[in-house]
Amino acid sequence: MPRRTEPPADMLPVEEALARILDLVREMPAELRPIREATGQVLAADVVAPFDIPPHDNTAMDGYAVQAADTAPAGADVDGEGAAELRVIGELAAGYVYEGAVGPGEAVRIMTGAPMPSGADSIVPFEETDETGLQAPGQSADAGQRSVRVLKAARPGANIRRRGEDVRQGALILTRGLVLRGAEIAVLASMGIGAVSVVRRPRVAILSTGDELLTPGASAEGEPPAPGKIYDSNAYGLAALVEEYGGVPVLSGIASDTVPALTAKIAEAVAAADMVVTSAGVSRGDFDVVKEVLAQEGEVRFWTVRMKPGKPLAFGRFSAADGRAVPHIGLPGNPVSSLLAFELFGRPALFKMQGRQVQARPVVTAVADEPIINTDARRVYARAIVDRAADGRWHARLTGPQGSGVLTSMAYANGYAVCPAERERVAVGEEVEVLMVDWEHAPD
Ligand code: AMP
Ligand code: MG
Protein backbone atom coordinates (compact mmCIF):
# COMPACT_ATOMS: atom_id res chain seq x y z
CA MET A 1 0.00 0.00 0.00
CA PRO A 2 1.58 3.34 -1.03
CA ARG A 3 2.16 5.83 1.72
CA ARG A 4 -0.70 8.26 1.99
CA THR A 5 -0.02 11.92 2.64
CA GLU A 6 -2.62 14.35 3.88
CA PRO A 7 -3.03 17.52 1.82
CA PRO A 8 -2.46 20.95 3.34
CA ALA A 9 -5.57 22.35 4.98
CA ASP A 10 -5.81 25.30 2.59
CA MET A 11 -6.18 23.06 -0.46
CA LEU A 12 -9.48 23.92 -2.15
CA PRO A 13 -12.07 21.30 -2.99
CA VAL A 14 -12.93 21.30 -6.71
CA GLU A 15 -16.45 22.63 -6.02
CA GLU A 16 -15.11 25.54 -3.98
CA ALA A 17 -12.59 26.52 -6.66
CA LEU A 18 -15.36 26.38 -9.25
CA ALA A 19 -17.74 28.46 -7.14
CA ARG A 20 -15.09 31.17 -6.77
CA ILE A 21 -14.43 31.21 -10.51
CA LEU A 22 -18.12 31.36 -11.40
CA ASP A 23 -18.54 34.19 -8.96
CA LEU A 24 -16.20 36.37 -10.99
CA VAL A 25 -17.41 35.71 -14.53
CA ARG A 26 -20.25 37.64 -16.11
CA GLU A 27 -22.65 37.00 -18.94
CA MET A 28 -21.63 38.48 -22.28
CA PRO A 29 -23.79 41.18 -23.90
CA ALA A 30 -26.45 40.28 -26.46
CA GLU A 31 -25.91 40.72 -30.19
CA LEU A 32 -28.21 40.42 -33.18
CA ARG A 33 -27.22 37.52 -35.43
CA PRO A 34 -28.68 36.22 -38.68
CA ILE A 35 -30.40 32.93 -37.79
CA ARG A 36 -28.11 31.11 -40.21
CA GLU A 37 -25.12 32.06 -38.04
CA ALA A 38 -26.68 31.62 -34.61
CA THR A 39 -26.49 27.84 -34.25
CA GLY A 40 -25.34 26.85 -30.77
CA GLN A 41 -25.72 30.36 -29.36
CA VAL A 42 -27.96 31.18 -26.45
CA LEU A 43 -31.17 33.12 -26.96
CA ALA A 44 -30.83 36.47 -25.16
CA ALA A 45 -34.52 37.41 -25.16
CA ASP A 46 -37.86 35.61 -25.15
CA VAL A 47 -39.46 35.16 -28.55
CA VAL A 48 -43.20 35.76 -28.86
CA ALA A 49 -45.14 34.62 -31.94
CA PRO A 50 -45.95 37.61 -34.16
CA PHE A 51 -48.83 35.72 -35.82
CA ASP A 52 -50.58 32.35 -35.86
CA ILE A 53 -48.84 29.31 -37.32
CA PRO A 54 -50.15 27.95 -39.56
CA PRO A 55 -51.36 31.38 -40.66
CA HIS A 56 -54.53 29.89 -42.22
CA ASP A 57 -56.56 26.67 -42.12
CA ASN A 58 -55.00 24.44 -44.74
CA THR A 59 -55.13 20.93 -46.05
CA ALA A 60 -52.93 18.24 -44.54
CA MET A 61 -53.44 15.93 -47.56
CA ASP A 62 -53.60 16.01 -51.33
CA GLY A 63 -57.27 15.45 -52.21
CA TYR A 64 -60.58 17.27 -52.53
CA ALA A 65 -61.99 20.09 -50.44
CA VAL A 66 -65.67 19.30 -49.95
CA GLN A 67 -68.71 19.81 -47.77
CA ALA A 68 -68.72 16.74 -45.52
CA ALA A 69 -72.52 16.52 -45.63
CA ASP A 70 -72.35 15.77 -49.39
CA THR A 71 -70.29 12.65 -48.78
CA ALA A 72 -72.71 11.08 -46.28
CA PRO A 73 -74.11 8.55 -48.78
CA ALA A 74 -70.61 7.37 -49.68
CA GLY A 75 -70.37 3.63 -49.05
CA ALA A 76 -67.36 1.43 -48.49
CA ASP A 77 -67.97 -0.31 -51.82
CA VAL A 78 -64.58 -0.81 -53.51
CA ASP A 79 -66.05 -0.35 -56.96
CA GLY A 80 -67.45 3.02 -56.02
CA GLU A 81 -71.02 1.73 -56.18
CA GLY A 82 -73.19 4.12 -54.25
CA ALA A 83 -70.36 6.63 -53.88
CA ALA A 84 -71.15 10.33 -53.66
CA GLU A 85 -70.39 12.07 -56.94
CA LEU A 86 -69.21 15.66 -56.74
CA ARG A 87 -68.57 18.24 -59.45
CA VAL A 88 -64.94 19.42 -59.53
CA ILE A 89 -65.10 23.19 -59.85
CA GLY A 90 -61.40 24.01 -59.68
CA GLU A 91 -57.92 23.17 -58.57
CA LEU A 92 -55.65 24.71 -55.95
CA ALA A 93 -51.92 24.27 -55.51
CA ALA A 94 -50.00 25.17 -52.32
CA GLY A 95 -49.05 28.83 -52.47
CA TYR A 96 -52.36 30.10 -53.87
CA VAL A 97 -55.79 31.08 -52.60
CA TYR A 98 -59.01 29.80 -54.14
CA GLU A 99 -61.13 32.81 -55.06
CA GLY A 100 -64.49 31.06 -55.30
CA ALA A 101 -66.43 29.04 -52.77
CA VAL A 102 -67.28 25.35 -52.56
CA GLY A 103 -71.04 24.89 -52.67
CA PRO A 104 -73.21 21.81 -52.14
CA GLY A 105 -72.31 18.99 -54.54
CA GLU A 106 -68.99 20.63 -55.41
CA ALA A 107 -65.33 19.88 -54.76
CA VAL A 108 -61.99 21.66 -55.32
CA ARG A 109 -58.99 19.53 -56.13
CA ILE A 110 -56.36 20.68 -53.61
CA MET A 111 -52.70 20.05 -52.70
CA THR A 112 -51.14 19.73 -49.24
CA GLY A 113 -50.56 23.08 -47.58
CA ALA A 114 -53.04 25.03 -49.73
CA PRO A 115 -55.48 27.19 -47.72
CA MET A 116 -58.99 25.79 -47.28
CA PRO A 117 -61.36 27.24 -49.90
CA SER A 118 -64.34 28.96 -48.31
CA GLY A 119 -67.44 26.81 -48.09
CA ALA A 120 -65.48 23.55 -47.71
CA ASP A 121 -65.30 21.91 -44.29
CA SER A 122 -63.27 18.78 -44.90
CA ILE A 123 -60.66 17.19 -47.11
CA VAL A 124 -61.16 13.85 -48.81
CA PRO A 125 -57.74 12.36 -49.65
CA PHE A 126 -57.22 10.97 -53.16
CA GLU A 127 -57.04 7.50 -51.64
CA GLU A 128 -60.73 7.78 -50.69
CA THR A 129 -61.84 8.80 -54.17
CA ASP A 130 -61.85 7.15 -57.57
CA GLU A 131 -58.83 9.28 -58.53
CA THR A 132 -55.43 7.72 -58.05
CA GLY A 133 -53.91 11.14 -57.46
CA LEU A 134 -51.16 10.51 -59.99
CA GLN A 135 -52.19 13.05 -62.63
CA ALA A 136 -49.67 15.74 -63.20
CA PRO A 137 -50.99 19.28 -62.70
CA GLY A 138 -52.72 20.40 -65.88
CA GLN A 139 -53.75 16.87 -66.79
CA SER A 140 -56.65 16.97 -64.41
CA ALA A 141 -60.12 17.82 -65.66
CA ASP A 142 -61.03 21.43 -66.26
CA ALA A 143 -63.23 23.02 -63.66
CA GLY A 144 -66.89 22.21 -64.25
CA GLN A 145 -66.13 19.45 -66.71
CA ARG A 146 -65.25 16.63 -64.40
CA SER A 147 -66.58 14.87 -61.41
CA VAL A 148 -65.05 12.82 -58.65
CA ARG A 149 -66.55 9.90 -56.74
CA VAL A 150 -66.00 9.94 -52.98
CA LEU A 151 -65.79 6.39 -51.63
CA LYS A 152 -65.93 7.07 -47.94
CA ALA A 153 -68.02 9.48 -45.89
CA ALA A 154 -65.93 12.46 -44.75
CA ARG A 155 -65.96 13.71 -41.20
CA PRO A 156 -66.34 17.50 -40.87
CA GLY A 157 -62.88 18.94 -40.16
CA ALA A 158 -61.08 15.87 -41.48
CA ASN A 159 -57.49 16.39 -42.69
CA ILE A 160 -57.48 20.11 -41.96
CA ARG A 161 -54.58 21.77 -40.19
CA ARG A 162 -56.13 24.58 -38.21
CA ARG A 163 -54.86 28.12 -38.16
CA GLY A 164 -52.77 28.58 -34.99
CA GLU A 165 -52.67 24.88 -34.09
CA ASP A 166 -48.86 24.98 -33.91
CA VAL A 167 -48.40 28.45 -32.43
CA ARG A 168 -50.87 31.13 -31.33
CA GLN A 169 -50.09 34.76 -31.98
CA GLY A 170 -48.65 36.32 -28.81
CA ALA A 171 -47.63 32.99 -27.30
CA LEU A 172 -44.18 32.70 -25.72
CA ILE A 173 -42.54 30.07 -27.86
CA LEU A 174 -38.79 30.24 -27.23
CA THR A 175 -37.45 31.34 -23.88
CA ARG A 176 -34.33 33.29 -23.12
CA GLY A 177 -31.42 31.03 -22.16
CA LEU A 178 -32.05 28.15 -24.48
CA VAL A 179 -29.42 27.00 -26.92
CA LEU A 180 -30.43 27.31 -30.57
CA ARG A 181 -30.41 24.01 -32.42
CA GLY A 182 -31.88 23.18 -35.80
CA ALA A 183 -35.39 22.85 -34.41
CA GLU A 184 -35.40 26.25 -32.68
CA ILE A 185 -33.89 27.89 -35.76
CA ALA A 186 -36.66 26.34 -37.85
CA VAL A 187 -39.28 27.79 -35.47
CA LEU A 188 -37.71 31.25 -35.85
CA ALA A 189 -37.61 30.89 -39.63
CA SER A 190 -41.26 29.77 -39.68
CA MET A 191 -42.14 33.10 -38.10
CA GLY A 192 -40.21 35.02 -40.70
CA ILE A 193 -37.56 36.04 -38.17
CA GLY A 194 -34.27 36.46 -40.00
CA ALA A 195 -32.06 37.70 -37.16
CA VAL A 196 -32.21 36.93 -33.48
CA SER A 197 -30.84 38.34 -30.26
CA VAL A 198 -28.28 35.94 -28.81
CA VAL A 199 -25.58 36.13 -26.16
CA ARG A 200 -22.27 36.94 -27.81
CA ARG A 201 -19.76 34.12 -27.85
CA PRO A 202 -16.86 34.91 -25.50
CA ARG A 203 -13.47 35.39 -27.13
CA VAL A 204 -10.86 33.44 -25.22
CA ALA A 205 -7.18 34.32 -25.57
CA ILE A 206 -4.92 31.33 -25.05
CA LEU A 207 -1.34 31.96 -24.04
CA SER A 208 1.32 29.30 -23.53
CA THR A 209 4.33 30.04 -21.38
CA GLY A 210 7.75 28.45 -21.23
CA ASP A 211 11.15 28.65 -22.93
CA GLU A 212 10.90 24.99 -23.86
CA LEU A 213 7.92 25.41 -26.18
CA LEU A 214 7.90 25.26 -29.96
CA THR A 215 4.96 25.93 -32.25
CA PRO A 216 3.80 22.75 -34.01
CA GLY A 217 4.38 23.00 -37.73
CA ALA A 218 7.36 25.35 -37.26
CA SER A 219 9.74 22.60 -38.31
CA ALA A 220 9.30 19.87 -40.91
CA GLU A 221 6.42 17.53 -40.16
CA GLY A 222 7.45 14.51 -38.10
CA GLU A 223 10.68 16.19 -36.97
CA PRO A 224 11.40 15.69 -33.28
CA PRO A 225 11.83 19.00 -31.47
CA ALA A 226 15.32 20.44 -30.93
CA PRO A 227 17.11 19.18 -27.82
CA GLY A 228 15.46 20.41 -24.64
CA LYS A 229 12.36 21.60 -26.46
CA ILE A 230 8.81 20.24 -26.75
CA TYR A 231 5.92 21.18 -28.96
CA ASP A 232 3.20 23.36 -27.47
CA SER A 233 0.22 21.04 -27.22
CA ASN A 234 -1.77 22.91 -24.60
CA ALA A 235 -2.68 25.88 -26.76
CA TYR A 236 -4.09 23.67 -29.49
CA GLY A 237 -5.98 21.34 -27.21
CA LEU A 238 -7.39 24.28 -25.27
CA ALA A 239 -8.41 26.12 -28.44
CA ALA A 240 -10.36 23.08 -29.55
CA LEU A 241 -12.05 22.85 -26.15
CA VAL A 242 -12.91 26.56 -26.20
CA GLU A 243 -14.67 25.97 -29.50
CA GLU A 244 -16.43 22.87 -28.19
CA TYR A 245 -17.66 24.84 -25.18
CA GLY A 246 -19.03 27.64 -27.36
CA GLY A 247 -16.26 30.24 -27.19
CA VAL A 248 -14.07 31.74 -29.91
CA PRO A 249 -10.40 30.90 -29.37
CA VAL A 250 -7.74 33.52 -30.05
CA LEU A 251 -4.26 32.01 -30.11
CA SER A 252 -1.90 34.40 -28.40
CA GLY A 253 1.22 32.32 -29.01
CA ILE A 254 4.05 31.45 -26.68
CA ALA A 255 5.58 33.76 -24.08
CA SER A 256 9.10 32.99 -22.99
CA ASP A 257 9.95 32.91 -19.30
CA THR A 258 11.05 36.52 -18.99
CA VAL A 259 9.16 39.32 -17.32
CA PRO A 260 9.08 41.73 -20.28
CA ALA A 261 8.05 39.04 -22.79
CA LEU A 262 5.29 37.75 -20.59
CA THR A 263 4.05 41.22 -19.63
CA ALA A 264 3.74 42.21 -23.28
CA LYS A 265 1.99 38.98 -24.27
CA ILE A 266 -0.49 39.25 -21.45
CA ALA A 267 -1.34 42.83 -22.35
CA GLU A 268 -2.00 41.69 -25.93
CA ALA A 269 -4.15 38.80 -24.78
CA VAL A 270 -6.21 40.96 -22.43
CA ALA A 271 -6.84 43.52 -25.18
CA ALA A 272 -8.03 40.82 -27.59
CA ALA A 273 -10.35 38.81 -25.41
CA ASP A 274 -13.18 38.41 -22.92
CA MET A 275 -11.24 35.78 -21.00
CA VAL A 276 -7.55 34.90 -20.83
CA VAL A 277 -6.33 31.35 -20.35
CA THR A 278 -2.65 30.78 -19.67
CA SER A 279 -0.95 27.48 -19.20
CA ALA A 280 2.09 26.58 -17.10
CA GLY A 281 4.11 28.53 -14.61
CA VAL A 282 1.64 28.29 -11.73
CA SER A 283 3.36 25.52 -9.78
CA ARG A 284 6.50 25.81 -7.71
CA GLY A 285 9.13 25.78 -10.47
CA ASP A 286 12.15 28.00 -9.82
CA PHE A 287 12.25 29.51 -13.27
CA ASP A 288 8.58 30.33 -13.55
CA VAL A 289 8.19 34.07 -13.74
CA VAL A 290 4.55 33.57 -14.69
CA LYS A 291 3.32 33.88 -11.15
CA GLU A 292 5.24 37.07 -10.61
CA VAL A 293 3.92 38.71 -13.78
CA LEU A 294 0.34 37.54 -13.23
CA ALA A 295 0.37 38.91 -9.73
CA GLN A 296 1.74 42.21 -10.96
CA GLU A 297 -0.62 42.69 -13.88
CA GLY A 298 -3.91 41.58 -12.35
CA GLU A 299 -5.65 40.49 -9.19
CA VAL A 300 -4.70 36.87 -9.36
CA ARG A 301 -4.86 34.21 -6.69
CA PHE A 302 -2.84 31.03 -6.71
CA TRP A 303 -4.57 28.00 -5.45
CA THR A 304 -3.95 24.37 -4.95
CA VAL A 305 -7.01 22.33 -5.75
CA ARG A 306 -7.72 18.97 -4.21
CA MET A 307 -7.64 17.11 -7.50
CA LYS A 308 -5.25 14.90 -9.40
CA PRO A 309 -4.02 15.59 -11.92
CA GLY A 310 -4.11 19.39 -11.98
CA LYS A 311 -3.39 20.62 -8.49
CA PRO A 312 -2.04 24.15 -9.12
CA LEU A 313 -4.46 26.72 -10.49
CA ALA A 314 -4.49 30.49 -10.75
CA PHE A 315 -7.56 32.56 -11.11
CA GLY A 316 -8.18 36.27 -11.18
CA ARG A 317 -8.94 39.29 -13.27
CA PHE A 318 -7.02 41.68 -15.45
CA SER A 319 -8.17 45.20 -16.24
CA ALA A 320 -8.14 45.97 -19.93
CA ALA A 321 -7.05 49.43 -21.15
CA ASP A 322 -10.71 50.18 -21.95
CA GLY A 323 -11.77 49.38 -18.38
CA ARG A 324 -13.16 45.89 -18.98
CA ALA A 325 -12.53 43.30 -16.31
CA VAL A 326 -11.12 40.25 -18.07
CA PRO A 327 -11.21 37.00 -16.09
CA HIS A 328 -8.13 34.84 -16.19
CA ILE A 329 -7.65 31.14 -15.61
CA GLY A 330 -4.05 30.05 -15.10
CA LEU A 331 -3.87 26.34 -15.86
CA PRO A 332 -1.11 23.96 -14.90
CA GLY A 333 1.49 23.22 -17.59
CA ASN A 334 1.30 19.46 -17.69
CA PRO A 335 -0.87 18.70 -20.69
CA VAL A 336 -3.30 16.31 -19.00
CA SER A 337 -3.69 18.61 -16.00
CA SER A 338 -4.21 21.56 -18.26
CA LEU A 339 -6.99 20.00 -20.34
CA LEU A 340 -8.68 18.40 -17.34
CA ALA A 341 -8.64 21.64 -15.32
CA PHE A 342 -10.11 23.48 -18.30
CA GLU A 343 -12.85 20.87 -18.57
CA LEU A 344 -13.70 21.25 -14.88
CA PHE A 345 -13.35 25.03 -14.52
CA GLY A 346 -13.18 26.59 -17.98
CA ARG A 347 -16.25 24.84 -19.35
CA PRO A 348 -18.65 26.01 -16.63
CA ALA A 349 -17.13 29.51 -16.76
CA LEU A 350 -17.66 29.71 -20.52
CA PHE A 351 -21.19 28.38 -20.12
CA LYS A 352 -21.97 31.08 -17.60
CA MET A 353 -20.51 33.75 -19.90
CA GLN A 354 -22.86 32.49 -22.61
CA GLY A 355 -25.88 32.58 -20.32
CA ARG A 356 -26.18 28.81 -20.53
CA GLN A 357 -27.42 26.76 -17.66
CA VAL A 358 -24.22 25.48 -16.15
CA GLN A 359 -24.58 21.82 -17.03
CA ALA A 360 -22.59 19.11 -15.38
CA ARG A 361 -21.52 16.28 -17.62
CA PRO A 362 -23.58 13.12 -17.33
CA VAL A 363 -22.27 10.67 -14.75
CA VAL A 364 -22.56 6.89 -15.05
CA THR A 365 -21.95 4.39 -12.34
CA ALA A 366 -19.64 1.73 -13.72
CA VAL A 367 -17.88 -1.35 -12.43
CA ALA A 368 -14.14 -0.73 -12.09
CA ASP A 369 -12.24 -3.28 -14.14
CA GLU A 370 -8.95 -1.82 -12.89
CA PRO A 371 -8.07 -0.31 -9.53
CA ILE A 372 -7.70 3.44 -9.07
CA ILE A 373 -5.15 4.28 -6.39
CA ASN A 374 -5.31 7.53 -4.43
CA THR A 375 -2.02 8.26 -2.65
CA ASP A 376 -2.51 11.79 -1.37
CA ALA A 377 -6.12 12.39 -0.49
CA ARG A 378 -6.98 14.40 -3.59
CA ARG A 379 -9.91 13.58 -5.88
CA VAL A 380 -8.48 11.45 -8.67
CA TYR A 381 -9.79 11.80 -12.20
CA ALA A 382 -8.61 8.63 -13.91
CA ARG A 383 -8.93 8.61 -17.68
CA ALA A 384 -11.23 5.77 -18.53
CA ILE A 385 -12.95 3.95 -21.33
CA VAL A 386 -16.51 3.13 -20.39
CA ASP A 387 -18.54 0.59 -22.27
CA ARG A 388 -21.37 -1.79 -21.65
CA ALA A 389 -20.21 -5.34 -20.96
CA ALA A 390 -21.95 -8.67 -21.56
CA ASP A 391 -23.44 -8.49 -18.04
CA GLY A 392 -25.44 -5.43 -19.17
CA ARG A 393 -23.57 -3.06 -16.84
CA TRP A 394 -21.22 -0.20 -17.61
CA HIS A 395 -17.59 -1.10 -17.02
CA ALA A 396 -14.63 1.26 -16.74
CA ARG A 397 -11.06 0.43 -17.63
CA LEU A 398 -8.16 2.88 -17.62
CA THR A 399 -6.42 4.19 -20.71
CA GLY A 400 -2.96 3.02 -19.68
CA PRO A 401 -0.32 5.03 -17.81
CA GLN A 402 -1.98 7.89 -15.92
CA GLY A 403 0.90 10.37 -15.59
CA SER A 404 -0.09 14.03 -15.97
CA GLY A 405 2.15 14.26 -19.03
CA VAL A 406 0.62 11.25 -20.79
CA LEU A 407 -1.62 13.01 -23.30
CA THR A 408 -2.74 9.83 -25.01
CA SER A 409 -4.43 8.84 -21.75
CA MET A 410 -6.83 11.73 -22.47
CA ALA A 411 -7.17 11.01 -26.15
CA TYR A 412 -8.28 7.41 -25.62
CA ALA A 413 -10.73 8.23 -22.80
CA ASN A 414 -14.46 8.81 -23.07
CA GLY A 415 -14.80 9.67 -19.40
CA TYR A 416 -13.02 10.45 -16.16
CA ALA A 417 -13.48 7.87 -13.39
CA VAL A 418 -13.54 9.57 -10.03
CA CYS A 419 -11.91 8.22 -6.89
CA PRO A 420 -13.16 10.49 -4.08
CA ALA A 421 -10.51 12.40 -2.09
CA GLU A 422 -11.32 10.57 1.12
CA ARG A 423 -10.94 7.08 -0.36
CA GLU A 424 -7.59 5.33 -0.73
CA ARG A 425 -8.62 3.31 -3.72
CA VAL A 426 -11.37 2.01 -5.88
CA ALA A 427 -10.81 -1.74 -6.05
CA VAL A 428 -11.54 -3.98 -9.01
CA GLY A 429 -15.25 -4.88 -9.05
CA GLU A 430 -16.29 -1.85 -6.99
CA GLU A 431 -18.61 0.77 -8.39
CA VAL A 432 -17.07 3.99 -9.61
CA GLU A 433 -18.70 7.17 -10.89
CA VAL A 434 -17.49 8.25 -14.28
CA LEU A 435 -17.89 11.75 -15.67
CA MET A 436 -18.74 11.14 -19.30
CA VAL A 437 -17.14 13.66 -21.62
CA ASP A 438 -17.67 11.91 -24.89
CA TRP A 439 -20.67 9.66 -25.23
CA GLU A 440 -20.16 9.47 -28.96
CA HIS A 441 -17.16 7.24 -28.40
CA ALA A 442 -19.01 4.98 -25.98
CA PRO A 443 -19.86 1.77 -27.76
CA ASP A 444 -23.14 0.11 -26.68
P1 AMP B 1 5.37 24.29 -15.52
O1 AMP B 1 4.04 24.51 -14.90
O2 AMP B 1 5.84 25.48 -16.28
O3 AMP B 1 6.37 23.82 -14.52
O4 AMP B 1 5.17 23.13 -16.59
C1 AMP B 1 4.88 21.81 -16.21
C2 AMP B 1 5.16 20.85 -17.32
O5 AMP B 1 4.26 21.10 -18.39
C3 AMP B 1 6.54 20.97 -17.94
O6 AMP B 1 7.00 19.68 -18.23
C4 AMP B 1 6.32 21.74 -19.19
O7 AMP B 1 7.27 21.51 -20.17
C5 AMP B 1 4.96 21.25 -19.63
N1 AMP B 1 4.27 22.24 -20.45
C6 AMP B 1 4.13 23.54 -20.13
N2 AMP B 1 3.46 24.20 -21.10
C7 AMP B 1 3.18 23.28 -22.04
C8 AMP B 1 2.50 23.36 -23.29
N3 AMP B 1 1.98 24.51 -23.73
N4 AMP B 1 2.39 22.24 -24.02
C9 AMP B 1 2.91 21.07 -23.57
N5 AMP B 1 3.55 20.93 -22.39
C10 AMP B 1 3.70 22.02 -21.63
MG1 MG C 1 7.36 26.41 -17.19
Side-chain angles (χ1 to χ4, degrees):
M1 168 80 36
R3 204 171 63 84
R4 192 173 154 87
T5 53
E6 284 307 311
D10 62 351
M11 201 178 252
L12 287 180
V14 170
E15 285 70 24
E16 176 61 25
L18 177 58
R20 292 188 189 184
I21 289 173
L22 290 180
D23 211 40
L24 282 190
V25 302
R26 299 281 169 265
E27 188 173 322
M28 303 300 300
E31 62 177 355
L32 197 66
R33 293 277 282 177
I35 55 171
R36 185 53 202 89
E37 292 161 23
T39 313
Q41 280 184 268
V42 173
L43 206 55
D46 290 342
V47 176
V48 164
F51 48 78
D52 288 336
I53 299 176
H56 39 67
D57 289 355
N58 68 97
T59 172
M61 304 278 288
D62 295 332
Y64 287 89
V66 302
Q67 296 190 352
D70 284 341
T71 67
D77 187 332
V78 270
D79 299 327
E81 266 323 297
E85 182 148 354
L86 301 175
R87 196 160 62 88
V88 179
I89 59 166
E91 189 172 35
L92 186 60
Y96 301 92
V97 171
Y98 190 70
E99 301 298 350
V102 174
E106 294 177 339
V108 165
R109 195 167 181 270
I110 191 169
M111 304 306 140
T112 302
M116 286 300 289
S118 67
D121 65 1
S122 86
I123 297 293
V124 177
F126 286 141
E127 295 82 335
E128 293 171 13
T129 69
D130 63 351
E131 182 184 340
T132 59
L134 295 178
Q135 286 102 323
Q139 283 184 337
S140 61
D142 292 335
Q145 299 206 340
R146 217 197 72 161
S147 63
V148 66
R149 295 164 77 83
V150 176
L151 307 180
K152 201 173 155 201
R155 189 174 42 77
N159 303 309
I160 298 173
R161 297 192 286 222
R162 292 292 174 195
R163 170 179 179 160
E165 78 175 21
D166 185 352
V167 170
R168 283 250 165 248
Q169 178 178 13
L172 172 64
I173 36 173
L174 299 176
T175 46
R176 183 191 136 71
L178 64 76
V179 178
L180 296 177
R181 307 164 306 168
E184 288 80 17
I185 299 227
V187 167
L188 292 168
S190 77
M191 293 185 300
I193 296 174
V196 64
S197 175
V198 288
V199 182
R200 182 158 73 70
R201 290 186 184 280
R203 290 166 61 84
V204 181
I206 298 164
L207 179 60
S208 299
T209 65
D211 285 352
E212 72 275 37
L213 299 177
L214 298 174
T215 301
S219 37
E221 192 134 333
E223 275 294 292
K229 308 288 183 186
I230 58 169
Y231 286 116
D232 172 9
S233 56
N234 288 350
Y236 296 86
L238 292 168
L241 292 182
V242 163
E243 241 162 33
E244 190 185 319
Y245 304 155
V248 179
V250 181
L251 284 160
S252 300
I254 298 166
S256 63
D257 287 318
T258 68
V259 173
L262 203 50
T263 308
K265 279 287 191 186
I266 285 178
E268 251 174 62
V270 169
D274 304 304
M275 176 191 263
V276 173
V277 174
T278 57
S279 71
V282 290
S283 56
R284 301 218 173 95
D286 286 344
F287 299 95
D288 288 326
V289 294
V290 181
K291 283 177 111 162
E292 184 187 328
V293 175
L294 291 179
Q296 224 163 60
E297 301 297 310
E299 327 152 23
V300 177
R301 302 253 175 286
F302 299 91
W303 301 335
T304 54
V305 183
R306 186 172 290 192
M307 61 186 274
K308 186 179 185 169
K311 179 171 64 171
L313 188 75
F315 183 73
R317 274 193 294 203
F318 294 114
S319 306
D322 59 6
R324 289 172 308 124
V326 179
H328 163 243
I329 301 181
L331 300 166
N334 278 310
V336 174
S337 313
S338 197
L339 297 184
L340 178 71
F342 195 65
E343 158 72 26
L344 297 182
F345 304 114
R347 179 176 178 272
L350 281 179
F351 274 29
K352 185 173 177 193
M353 291 173 88
Q354 292 168 80
R356 286 173 72 150
Q357 307 279 353
V358 174
Q359 284 160 347
R361 296 280 196 180
V363 172
V364 288
T365 302
V367 178
D369 285 351
E370 283 176 67
I372 304 169
I373 312 294
N374 188 358
T375 52
D376 50 6
R378 290 188 267 154
R379 183 185 295 169
V380 177
Y381 292 87
R383 276 75 72 206
I385 299 165
V386 172
D387 50 29
R388 209 188 271 285
D391 62 4
R393 304 179 68 189
W394 295 105
H395 281 246
R397 64 200 144 93
L398 304 188
T399 51
Q402 295 285 306
S404 59
V406 184
L407 256 183
T408 50
S409 73
M410 292 291 272
Y412 302 150
N414 63 1
Y416 306 132
V418 174
C419 177
E422 55 288 353
R423 284 181 59 181
E424 292 182 19
R425 59 162 53 220
V426 174
V428 172
E430 284 190 302
E431 288 193 333
V432 63
E433 303 225 300
V434 189
L435 211 68
M436 297 306 295
V437 290
D438 193 353
W439 275 105
E440 278 170 67
H441 289 180
D444 305 308

